Amino acid sequence: MLDLKELRITSIEDFDDVEVVEVLVEEGKMVEVDEAIITIESEKSIMDFPSTEKGMVKRILVSKGDTVHEGDLLMTLEVEHELKSTNEALQNNEAKEVELQEPSPQQDDAVNSQGRKALESDVNAQPNQSDSPSSVYASPGVQKYARELGVNLKDISGSGGNQRILKKDVQDYVHKKLNKQDYRSVPSDGSVATVAINTQSSELSSFGEVEEIELTKIQKVTAANLLSSWQNIPHVTHFDQANITSLEKIRKSFLSTLIDSEIKLTPLAFIVKAVVASLEEYPVFNATLDEINQKIIYKKYFNIGIAVDTPAGLLVPVIRDADKKDIVKIAQDIVQISERARQKKITPDELKGATFTISSLGKLGGQAFTPIINPPEVAILGVSTINIQHVRADNSDEALKFLPLSLSYDHRVINGAEAARFCSYLISILEDYWKIIL
Ligand code: CAO
């Protein structure tokens, strides 16, 4: 037995006439008693208006932007007292409705649980005691959602009409917090805030002798940053090598002129200069991906991070404005920052602001490796040990020196062809260094 019921706007405290800012249901779909059917907004507040009946929406008589007054007809519902025959259809409709209007439970759970974690550490994220409709513009549903996540709606600017805060704004806010935490808010104790592989020495000692040594603070922080980078950035590594036979001759001749000075002129200073020239030519390698606003930020300065192996762990101090420095100054900087890092004298400021990093294993050995990007950078160059290849030319045996290069890049920002071009350009400089010296 079907009845047609009318849903009218009833008297609501503070509201004389109000604007419909959202219609939350569709014709042909089921609504439940107390389910929000429209969102209305006055000068002072915003709220969801609920259905007083359960039934199928037959006809909607208001639309977004309409002004409604007490007693106005909003929609008609087909109400069945015994809904047995249509139960199945109704359930399907309900399921679809949930799909269309709400994020999936998994999405919500992911945001909820990660969001809570991200916000627990945020001293400003207190429960929104004062998020009453008169102080923030958000529907009760959004207010409830924010409350569940521990988000204070006052911290969010709304993207809806009249700056109304939407569910999406709450989600964006949480994602922003998560992103910030991933890259910059390593816990002050340096602990690795991830699911730990919990292998304890008691388990291992059943197989033989073990020794436990606490990770240094640097190792803890590095572990958290590396893990975050590895998990969040799709890395690709491009391998190549440069014939630096003539560059090595140039370096040796430079060295002979510096014989009495303290300057240590290794291939790395030349590599830094060649990398800067390549970054100038291919600026995307000097960029940052702004994930939230979906933008690439091109930096016009060239600060090169140098991975330094120290007894306490890996540190990456920065050579600032490398484009404005000559090779000798860069060589001096490398020595100075690496010594300060090893002597634990480096300051936090000296570790910040890199736009691209070089990790040189120098003569330690190896032919290639896959360096991990140091966010917010989008690429890193790994340098391995020079290898010597003998070639026969004009009845003589020439020993050529090849420098292996491993370029890891963020595949969201840089594609393989660009990486190949960048590497070829870098190699062309390393193989014909006069190109940038003169
Ligand atoms: N192949 C062969 N020899 C090389 C070389 C290369 N690619 N690069 C440098 N060398 C030589 C140098 O010429 C120098 O030779 P001499 O002993 O004859 O003077 C020697 O290796 C040692 O150089 P160095 O390491 O003192 O200086 P550098 O400028 O090459 O590097 C620094 C400085 C700080 C980068 C380096 O000392 C260092 O810490 N590297 C480790 C970085 C690292 O751990 N990366 C991995 C990160 S991922 O875990």
Side-chain angles (χ1 to χ4, degrees):
M1 208 22 213
L2 289 174
D3 277 343
L4 205 60
K5 292 267 180 187
E6 292 180 343
L7 295 184
R8 290 179 182 276
I9 196 151
T10 50
S11 166
I12 303 161
E13 219 181 300
D14 282 348
F15 287 177
D16 289 322
D17 56 14
V18 292
E19 189 187 331
V20 176
V21 288
E22 217 165 333
V23 177
L24 303 166
V25 293
E26 283 175 46
E27 287 178 356
K29 298 283 172 73
M30 280 298 290
V31 290
E32 296 290 337
V33 176
D34 287 334
E35 187 181 332
I37 51 170
I38 58 168
T39 305
I40 47 179
E41 184 177 29
S42 74
E43 273 171 22
K44 287 190 195 156
S45 183
I46 183 162
M47 68 176 294
D48 288 345
F49 187 80
S51 172
T52 49
E53 299 283 347
K54 173 181 177 174
M56 179 90 76
V57 179
K58 184 76 180 160
R59 208 160 151 228
I60 299 174
L61 295 130
V62 287
S63 44
K64 193 174 165 180
D66 286 354
T67 301
V68 286
H69 309 267
E70 188 184 345
D72 281 356
L73 182 59
L74 301 175
M75 54 190 74
T76 54
L77 289 192
E78 235 175 41
V79 177
E80 199 171 69
H81 295 301
E82 289 180 18
L83 287 168
K84 280 178 202 146
S85 59
T86 49
N87 252 357
E88 217 177 290
L90 301 182
Q91 275 166 10
N92 282 344
N93 279 334
E94 280 173 354
K96 277 186 202 147
E97 205 166 5
V98 168
E99 253 172 53
L100 287 171
Q101 293 183 358
E102 295 292 328
S104 70
Q106 291 94 323
Q107 282 171 326
D108 254 357
D109 281 355
V111 172
N112 281 354
S113 65
Q114 290 179 55
R116 260 187 232 107
K117 271 190 214 148
L119 294 158
E120 267 163 20
S121 62
D122 183 355
V123 286
N124 296 320
Q126 290 153 7
N128 40 329
Q129 308 112 337
S130 59
D131 291 342
S132 64
S134 58
S135 58
V136 290
Y137 264 44
S139 72
V142 171
Q143 292 187 31
K144 182 168 174 275
Y145 185 61
R147 249 193 320 274
E148 282 168 8
L149 291 171
V151 172
N152 189 339
L153 287 176
K154 284 183 174 163
D155 294 337
I156 302 179
S157 27
S159 63
N162 284 346
Q163 295 173 343
R164 187 162 57 94
I165 300 167
L166 309 175
K167 189 169 185 177
K168 186 182 155 299
D169 298 325
V170 178
Q171 289 172 335
D172 285 351
Y173 176 83
V174 170
H175 283 303
K176 230 178 225 168
K177 285 276 169 197
L178 284 170
N179 195 47
K180 202 167 142 199
Q181 189 179 58
D182 278 350
Y183 296 143
R184 291 178 197 92
S185 306
V186 174
S188 57
D189 66 351
S191 62
V192 183
T194 58
V195 181
I197 300 167
N198 189 13
T199 309
Q200 291 178 3
S201 62
S202 54
E203 275 177 60
L204 301 171
S205 59
S206 59
F207 303 102
E209 193 188 344
V210 296
E211 183 188 3
E212 269 185 1
I213 296 176
E214 175 90 17
L215 287 176
T216 65
K217 181 141 186 189
I218 292 173
Q219 285 172 324
K220 289 177 190 171
V221 172
T222 304
N225 287 338
L226 290 174
L227 184 64
S228 169
S229 170
W230 189 249
Q231 286 178 331
N232 292 304
I233 299 175
H235 283 67
V236 178
T237 306
H238 179 96
F239 302 106
D240 214 327
Q241 57 177 357
N243 178 351
I244 58 162
T245 316
S246 73
L247 173 57
E248 276 296 86
K249 285 179 190 153
I250 296 172
R251 185 173 74 89
K252 299 267 162 63
S253 68
F254 261 88
L255 267 177
S256 59
T257 65
L258 298 170
I259 206 91
D260 295 327
S261 78
E262 297 281 283
I263 294 164
K264 189 175 162 199
L265 195 59
T266 66
L268 187 54
F270 292 84
I271 296 168
V272 169
K273 210 59 197 154
V275 160
V276 170
S278 307
L279 294 174
E280 284 171 330
E281 188 71 17
Y282 295 95
V284 73
F285 288 81
N286 202 50
T288 283
L289 174 63
D290 176 350
E291 287 179 61
I292 302 294
N293 297 305
Q294 294 289 291
K295 285 181 184 160
I296 297 177
I297 303 166
Y298 289 86
K299 287 157 280 181
K300 310 284 178 180
Y301 51 91
F302 300 89
N303 294 341
I304 306 299
I306 302 290
V308 179
D309 178 37
T310 82
L314 183 70
L315 282 174
V316 188
V318 180
I319 301 176
R320 288 185 192 280
D321 299 319
D323 54 319
K324 300 189 176 82
K325 293 177 177 166
D326 62 23
I327 287 167
V328 171
K329 176 70 178 112
I330 287 172
Q332 285 171 325
D333 279 9
I334 293 171
V335 171
Q336 199 235 352
I337 57 173
S338 56
E339 273 173 11
R340 285 169 60 72
R342 287 180 180 130
Q343 292 161 4
K344 299 186 180 169
K345 287 185 182 158
I346 206 92
T347 64
D349 272 355
E350 291 175 282
L351 301 169
K352 285 185 195 155
T355 56
F356 184 95
T357 292
I358 301 177
S359 176
S360 170
L361 288 171
K363 67 176 178 190
L364 294 173
Q367 283 308 293
F369 63 109
T370 52
I372 296 178
I373 296 163
N374 196 12
E377 297 155 47
V378 292
I380 177 169
L381 181 72
V383 179
S384 299
T385 307
I386 295 166
N387 63 80
I388 296 176
Q389 293 174 24
H390 294 272
V391 233
R392 286 194 71 80
D394 302 332
N395 291 331
S396 65
D397 188 19
E398 199 185 351
L400 300 181
K401 293 181 176 170
F402 284 91
L403 181 74
L405 304 169
S406 310
L407 175 75
S408 292
Y409 56 92
D410 183 338
H411 206 351
R412 295 169 301 175
V413 181
I414 295 163
N415 60 37
E418 284 169 314
R421 280 186 210 110
F422 177 87
C423 253
S424 298
Y425 189 78
L426 172 63
I427 289 167
S428 75
I429 295 171
L430 293 171
E431 294 189 345
D432 185 9
Y433 215 84
W434 294 114
K435 193 146 107 175
I436 60 167
I437 293 181
L438 295 175

